[in-house]
Amino acid sequence: GLALVAIAFWIARLAPRLAWQAIRPVMPILVAIFLVQLYFANIELAVFVTLRFITLILAASLVTMTTKTSEFVEAIMAALKHAPSWVPRRQIALAFALAFRFIPRIRGHVADIRTAQAARGLDRNIRALIVPLILRTLRDADDIANAIDARSVD
């Protein structure tokens, strides 16, 4: 799993720092998962579960770094080709496209907020990061919803 993802990063000529940039924001969550597994199970399971999450995060990052949004949409539409007629194919593809578009935007928000909070001496305060991030993300979602409504997309 993890070795295969590492090879894929190498084949895609992606720098190891990009892998670290994908993992770094979720490091506190990964540590918490590790500690919970260690407490309730054992070290082997804690390492296994944590490495599995790291592998999934890196694989998702690899796909989003190497695939255009339009290719995602085409793949989703192709996958839904045989779905029943009542399945909203275009809306599902649009939802995925918007989700993929949000990932780098949220990363940008995190970087901007961390810079601003560090200037204020709040770089270790998680609330000082989370609250503005949620507000910015909700504002972005609202703007996108308004744009979709303006274009009359069902």
Side-chain angles (χ1 to χ4, degrees):
L2 188 56
L4 185 61
V5 172
I7 291 168
F9 262 81
W10 179 74
I11 290 171
R13 299 179 208 263
L14 296 173
R17 69 177 170 74
L18 293 174
W20 173 243
Q21 287 175 354
I23 295 296
R24 189 182 61 209
V26 295
M27 220 31 171
I29 296 168
L30 292 171
V31 169
I33 290 169
F34 178 82
L35 293 174
V36 167
Q37 291 297 319
L38 187 61
Y39 181 77
F40 286 110
N42 55 44
I43 186 99
E44 292 86 14
L45 187 60
V47 169
F48 175 77
V49 169
T50 305
L51 286 177
R52 180 171 276 185
F53 274 108
I54 289 171
T55 303
L56 289 171
I57 292 164
L58 290 176
S61 296
L62 176 67
V63 170
T64 58
M65 286 187 244
T66 58
T67 310
K68 297 176 187 173
T69 304
S70 60
E71 292 170 340
F72 276 121
V73 171
E74 290 172 15
I76 292 165
M77 292 295 287
L80 294 173
K81 182 172 63 174
H82 299 294
S85 60
W86 54 266
V87 173
R89 294 179 194 94
R90 291 185 58 217
Q91 289 84 349
I92 291 171
L94 176 63
F96 273 97
L98 291 173
F100 289 128
R101 180 159 174 349
F102 256 84
I103 293 169
R105 191 169 181 116
I106 290 172
R107 281 187 183 153
H109 287 331
V110 168
D112 293 345
I113 294 166
R114 280 192 173 156
T115 302
Q117 301 303 8
R120 295 181 184 104
L122 299 171
D123 51 336
R124 292 278 188 206
N125 187 336
I126 191 71
R127 259 188 270 160
L129 172 68
I130 296 297
V131 171
L133 180 62
I134 290 171
L135 292 174
R136 283 187 183 190
T137 303
L138 289 174
R139 186 173 356 128
D140 286 348
D142 199 37
D143 291 345
I144 290 172
N146 289 335
I148 290 171
D149 285 342
R151 288 173 180 81
S152 299
V153 177
D154 290 330

